[in-house]
Amino acid sequence: MTLGSEWWRSAVIYQIYPRSFADGLRADGIGDLPGITSRLPSLVQLGVDAVWLSPFFTSPQKDAGYDVADYCDVDPLFGTLDDFDALERRIHELGLKLIVDLVPNHTSDQHEWFRAALASPEGSVERHHYMFRDGKGSAGELPPNNWESVFGGPAWTRIHDTDGSPGQWYLHLFDTSQPDLNWEDPWVHQRFHEILRFWLDRGVDGFRVDVAHGLKKAPGLPDYTPPVLADGTTAGSMGAVGPAVDDADPPTPPYWAQDSVHEVYREWNEILASYPGERVLCAEAWVEPLPKLARWVRPDEMHQAFNFSYLETPWDGAALRTIIDDSIAAFAGVGAPSTWVLSNHDVVRHATRLALTGDHPQGAGVGPLSTGIPDRAFGLHRARAATLLMLTLPGSAYLYQGEELGLPEVIDLPDAARQDPTWFRTKHERYGRDGCRVPIPWEADAPSFGFSTGAGGTKSWLPQPAYWREYSRDAQLGVAGSTLELYRAALHERAASALGLGGIEWLDGYPDDVVAFRNGAVTVIANTGTSSVTLPGLELLIASDASAALQLPPDTTAWLRS
Ligand code: GLC
């Protein structure tokens, strides 16, 4: 009703990470498609509009399914294609939309295309589907360039030819088990057109496109050393770090954000447009600054792009006002809505992240030896305020499973349980992303907190901490002041007041650390400072902290009737 004719412009989209949502098959401690189907009513009760499923395709699971061995089948861990069809039917019956993940930058090394490439000689058609190059040095013993994998270590691996002699090298921007495809080869384009059609024919409403800034690499694959930018970060996370530059517009690394990548999305846009209904593409593109990211959502390309610049903005009034203005302007410039996102399966959960102190680079994760980890209650207090602010912003919002329960990052996973390739490739220097992927607690008093529902369902592929009990869904449902009820109330009011389709009118007269604006019928005041602020004499609709009344405490957001 309030979504408007292009549903994705204002939808709230809930990310399901299938391994960790609900285990309904075999009670093996790994979530699956039947488990998701059985828990769908909880998403209707929450009040979201759409579901994005992270990969459930055939995969050796070296990167939790982002290493795909067959794009058109379901991994037996998660069920079957029939289970997928049943899930999709139920999602649509419930009035929700369904987006699936598409991983086009790389395949698994177990994909038949890559196996064929290894079995074929240098210079063959099969090798041309991937990024094979000769090594440097007198005997080709050095990698073709200095690029490093996002997960740590070199981005190249040398193969042995079928006669056992050392051969060429292949590029993998991520794990060794994830060889990059060669998007200069029209054959690769054709295969992905078929994959898109396979899922569109089955009825999906769209795709979240993994590493949508990758795919194309600069001709000649030149060496690259990312400089340190004025804000202390590096441009493009791969390669050794070069000298500092004073540049607000970061240089483009040769492996990210190449201009020619856009032709791929124009082709895909045409395919989606040829289907009935409103099918969408959402870019996972870690591209800055925002006007550059906006190129991914020009009218003939994708529909949405994750706004990671927003996700990375600290809990600071001035920074938040700037990023909100910049985001709306950048996306409106190409006729697209902004998205808003605070958590996903790759970042420290925002109930921990927004209150971290010290330096915590994205993707590094946090663990037992990290410093600056907030107290759980403090982190959650701030996260609730941040979510309440996000859900009033015009555009589409993404939620990550478990944030509606206020889940923190799990800091103290036993080392032996960790599975993220980052942990292994950096020789345990970076914890990686397992801490945000721990299975969801549904029922306080059930084994595995109700995650694994089969007989004897006590398992969970990453151990759930004992304190997960207090975050369980059934311990929060119907409980005034719980995080789940806060999300439900906010989503209800967001839909009723059509906030996703609205606009921002900034309000004057507040201190710098207060974010204050009107979006149609709702006035929003978010206090990122350290002292209370006086609220205007309007009806209080929702507050992230129950003590908010005439005064709004620090780290609290309130919605008032305008
Ligand atoms: C994306 C995914 C991440 C994965 C990587 C490689 O960033 O979100 O989980 O590891 O791509 O596919």
Side-chain angles (χ1 to χ4, degrees):
M1 153 196 72
T2 49
L3 286 181
S5 65
E6 292 178 307
W7 64 272
W8 43 273
R9 287 188 175 272
S10 58
V12 176
I13 303 174
Y14 183 95
Q15 179 189 358
I16 291 184
Y17 193 66
R19 299 174 75 81
S20 305
F21 190 67
D23 171 16
L25 269 181
R26 294 182 295 264
D28 57 358
I30 300 183
D32 45 53
L33 301 184
I36 297 170
T37 306
S38 71
R39 295 288 191 185
L40 285 177
S42 68
L43 300 187
V44 176
Q45 204 171 36
L46 177 62
V48 300
D49 305 303
V51 171
W52 150 35
L53 288 182
S54 279
F56 50 82
F57 316 107
T58 313
S59 160
Q61 303 290 317
K62 291 283 169 43
D63 183 22
Y66 281 95
D67 47 323
V68 180
D70 183 348
Y71 290 90
C72 297
D73 207 349
V74 174
D75 194 281
L77 262 187
F78 301 120
T80 61
L81 270 176
D82 284 345
D83 291 328
F84 174 81
D85 290 339
L87 168 59
E88 188 197 286
R89 247 191 331 272
R90 191 72 190 119
I91 284 182
H92 286 145
E93 275 165 18
L94 291 170
L96 304 172
K97 304 281 187 190
L98 173 63
I99 291 176
V100 297
D101 222 303
L102 186 73
V103 188
N105 181 67
H106 45 266
T107 67
S108 159
D109 61 357
Q110 299 305 308
H111 197 291
E112 60 176 37
W113 305 338
F114 192 68
R115 285 167 173 279
L118 291 184
S120 304
E122 269 182 52
S124 60
V125 166
E126 289 80 4
R127 287 267 178 109
H128 197 252
H129 301 153
Y130 289 87
M131 304 289 289
F132 282 92
R133 292 292 185 278
D134 292 336
K136 286 188 177 159
S138 54
E141 73 282 9
L142 299 172
N145 69 23
N146 73 344
W147 299 358
E148 286 177 18
S149 150
V150 174
F151 293 155
W156 294 92
T157 292
R158 192 171 195 186
I159 63 161
H160 283 90
D161 287 328
T162 44
D163 64 2
S165 57
Q168 290 187 300
W169 299 68
Y170 68 88
L171 176 69
H172 50 86
L173 293 183
F174 294 87
D175 189 46
T176 319
S177 63
Q178 294 167 297
D180 279 51
L181 284 162
N182 175 16
W183 278 90
E184 301 304 331
D185 189 332
W187 185 91
V188 172
H189 290 238
Q190 289 305 323
R191 297 294 78 72
F192 274 84
H193 294 173
E194 290 160 9
I195 294 163
L196 287 171
R197 290 184 187 284
F198 178 87
W199 293 105
L200 290 165
D201 288 341
R202 285 197 116 76
V204 303
D205 298 292
F207 302 87
R208 173 265 188 192
V209 179
D210 192 64
V211 195
H213 56 317
L215 280 63
K216 291 294 191 105
K217 281 80 185 175
L221 312 184
D223 278 354
Y224 179 69
T225 304
V228 177
L229 302 178
D231 66 0
T233 62
T234 51
S237 53
M238 297 161 61
V241 174
V245 294
D246 253 351
D247 192 347
D249 187 4
T252 303
Y255 35 76
W256 296 145
Q258 299 300 303
D259 281 343
S260 61
V261 80
H262 297 284
E263 83 200 23
V264 176
Y265 305 129
R266 294 196 181 102
E267 293 168 5
W268 294 8
N269 179 299
E270 276 185 27
I271 293 178
L272 266 72
S274 72
Y275 278 78
E278 294 164 349
R279 318 277 182 126
V280 301
L281 295 166
C282 176
E284 187 227 16
W286 292 83
V287 172
E288 284 182 319
L290 283 158
K292 191 165 180 189
L293 176 63
R295 293 183 200 155
W296 269 252
V297 289
R298 288 176 288 196
D300 57 350
E301 296 194 37
M302 300 208 181
H303 304 79
Q304 296 184 330
F306 290 104
N307 187 343
F308 294 128
S309 302
Y310 182 73
L311 182 150
E312 288 177 332
T313 302
W315 180 243
D316 170 88
L320 284 163
R321 277 193 302 276
T322 303
I323 194 72
I324 292 169
D325 269 343
D326 289 355
S327 303
I328 292 172
F331 290 111
V334 291
S338 180
T339 63
W340 310 100
V341 59
L342 287 169
S343 279
N344 66 31
H345 65 293
D346 290 329
V347 301
V348 173
R349 282 187 176 277
H350 72 278
T352 301
R353 190 189 69 242
L354 286 172
L356 288 173
T357 53
D359 192 22
H360 298 276
Q362 193 272 315
V366 288
L369 300 178
S370 306
T371 52
I373 309 290
D375 165 75
R376 283 207 297 276
F378 175 61
L380 178 56
H381 190 240
R382 193 171 266 187
R384 287 165 56 114
T387 299
L388 213 50
L389 172 62
M390 176 180 87
L391 288 176
T392 55
L393 298 173
S396 170
Y398 275 82
L399 304 180
Y400 175 50
Q401 67 180 32
E403 67 169 87
E404 76 280 17
L405 304 176
L407 294 182
E409 185 82 357
V410 179
I411 310 297
D412 50 1
L413 282 173
D415 287 354
R418 295 186 186 278
Q419 304 205 13
D420 186 348
T422 311
W423 168 251
F424 300 104
R425 290 186 62 89
T426 62
K427 302 196 171 46
H428 304 183
E429 202 180 287
R430 293 190 230 152
Y431 290 104
R433 304 158 296 175
D434 290 315
C436 65
R437 299 174 173 181
V438 175
I440 298 299
W442 294 90
E443 290 143 25
D445 294 323
S448 71
F449 301 121
F451 164 65
S452 185
T453 51
T458 55
K459 294 193 206 146
S460 130
W461 69 280
L462 287 172
Q464 299 163 303
Y467 66 79
W468 236 217
R469 187 176 190 283
E470 71 199 67
Y471 293 87
S472 295
R473 192 172 191 279
D474 71 347
Q476 300 196 38
L477 188 65
V479 176
S482 71
T483 302
L484 179 59
E485 290 304 326
L486 179 72
Y487 270 71
R488 289 183 67 200
L491 291 172
H492 179 83
E493 185 59 42
R494 185 181 195 281
S497 297
L499 299 179
L501 295 171
I504 299 278
E505 264 177 86
W506 294 111
L507 300 177
D508 295 331
Y510 289 91
D512 201 39
D513 44 21
V514 172
V515 179
F517 60 85
R518 195 179 297 123
N519 179 351
V522 175
T523 290
V524 184
I525 317 279
N527 183 3
T528 72
T530 49
S531 16
S532 293
V533 285
T534 304
L535 288 174
L538 302 168
E539 178 198 353
L540 181 63
L541 294 171
I542 309 177
S544 63
D545 184 303
S547 69
L550 291 176
Q551 292 292 310
L552 188 70
D555 295 325
T556 305
T557 299
W559 294 10
L560 306 120
R561 180 68 67 218
S562 294

